[in-house]
Amino acid sequence: MGHALGQSVVVENKPGGQGSIAMIEGARAAPDGYTLVLGHVGTMAVNPAMMPKLQYDVDKDFAPVTLLTRVPMLFAVGPSVNAKSLDEFISLSKARPGKLNYGSAGNGSAGHLAFEMLKDTAQVNLTHVPYKGTGAQMTDLLAGTIDAASAGLPGFLPHVKAGKLRILAVGAAERLPALPDVPTVGELGYPGFESSQWFGLIAPAKTPPQVIERINKEAQKALRAASVKRRLEEDSSTAVGWGPREFTTFITSEKKRWGDVVRSAKLQAD
């Protein structure tokens, strides 16, 4: 995009507040198209439900540009769990309510919400063990300290190939080309189940429509580039490239869907 627009693209990581710091700074930026935010399911669909004192408004402070990618969540168990399928894992969970646990990269993270959705859908009682990031979580999963976890394919794949982890199901609507033998949750008796991370470009509100359209056009071109497609495929990430109107509708539906999960599980931000 930088090459096509004739501009340098500088990435500024603004960690903290479950993404809120970056979102607040983006909302306050000049609406001239020179500052964009990489919004995602957490900052745009989960935070509004989990954080009652959120200092940004997804609908009022931003102009959606394009939904870039969707990354399906996978459900995996460690070596200490005697379950070779999702059905077996759910049966174990129901036989021992509250005894099996799952880790996540933190309270309100994608892995946390994915398992909360599975818990609600399958009506099982599992204990959440939050970590400060994915590294420690993965270490404990491999060691058998925790029983299960949900994440994207890149974090799991090396350990699956080494025979140290088992992927029980895919949270996407369709099976992944990289794991053709692993069924979706929907296939296993829970139709309509879908748990994916997603990432999209948003701009400060009042950014001129013609600027939004130009950025959207160049983002779609970039998503079609062979090098970008290869990189996304490595992560089992699906390029989307929707326009502002479709992305806006999607954000609204995701806020409701994940808001329902948050409220059902009575989740609150740390």
Side-chain angles (χ1 to χ4, degrees):
M1 286 178 66
H3 178 75
L5 292 167
Q7 300 289 336
S8 296
V9 177
V10 179
V11 177
E12 285 191 70
N13 292 308
K14 298 284 183 177
Q18 295 180 246
S20 295
I21 292 174
M23 293 290 282
I24 292 167
E25 195 160 317
R28 294 172 178 170
D32 54 12
Y34 285 90
T35 299
L36 302 171
V37 179
L38 185 67
H40 58 84
V41 60
T43 56
M44 303 188 72
V46 176
N47 283 2
M50 281 190 65
M51 305 172 72
K53 296 182 180 180
L54 200 61
Q55 295 181 50
Y56 64 87
D57 188 304
V58 171
D59 300 320
K60 296 179 180 178
D61 293 336
F62 298 98
V65 179
T66 182
L67 179 63
L68 295 171
T69 66
R70 300 175 78 169
V71 183
M73 300 297 288
L74 309 178
F75 295 91
V77 293
S80 61
V81 179
N82 186 25
K84 296 181 180 179
S85 69
L86 184 65
D87 283 343
E88 289 183 3
F89 180 73
I90 290 173
S91 295
L92 282 175
S93 303
K94 290 184 175 181
R96 303 167 58 197
K99 299 298 182 181
L100 294 181
N101 59 44
Y102 71 94
S104 81
N107 192 32
S109 65
H112 181 197
L113 272 293
F115 249 108
E116 287 299 326
M117 177 179 280
L118 183 65
K119 282 171 58 179
D120 189 52
T121 301
Q123 292 296 291
V124 292
N125 182 1
L126 300 166
T127 300
H128 176 220
V129 182
Y131 289 82
K132 293 182 178 180
T134 58
Q137 170 203 350
M138 192 63 65
T139 297
D140 277 4
L141 180 63
L142 292 167
T145 306
I146 56 174
D147 300 312
S150 180
L153 180 62
F156 284 146
L157 192 56
H159 309 298
V160 172
K161 289 181 176 179
K164 296 179 180 179
L165 293 179
R166 291 190 299 279
I167 304 295
L168 302 182
V170 176
E174 298 179 353
R175 295 191 183 197
L176 299 183
L179 298 170
D181 297 329
V182 178
T184 68
V185 176
E187 287 180 69
L188 298 173
Y190 305 98
F193 184 98
E194 183 168 357
S195 177
S196 297
Q197 298 184 63
W198 50 262
F199 303 86
L201 289 178
I202 54 177
K206 299 182 180 179
T207 300
Q210 63 271 24
V211 174
I212 296 289
E213 185 58 36
R214 177 73 194 283
I215 297 171
N216 172 263
K217 180 181 177 181
E218 296 303 338
Q220 292 198 40
K221 285 183 181 178
L223 287 172
R224 293 193 294 268
S227 59
V228 174
K229 290 173 70 174
R230 281 196 302 271
R231 182 65 184 84
L232 293 177
E233 287 170 359
E234 289 174 5
D235 289 346
S236 286
S237 177
T238 303
V240 183
W242 286 343
R245 184 176 300 177
E246 292 170 300
F247 190 20
T248 299
T249 300
F250 177 75
I251 292 167
T252 300
S253 66
E254 286 288 278
K255 282 175 63 181
K256 181 185 184 307
R257 194 162 73 93
W258 289 108
D260 288 344
V261 173
V262 169
R263 287 183 286 273
S264 176
K266 299 179 180 179
L267 304 182
Q268 293 183 343
D270 293 330

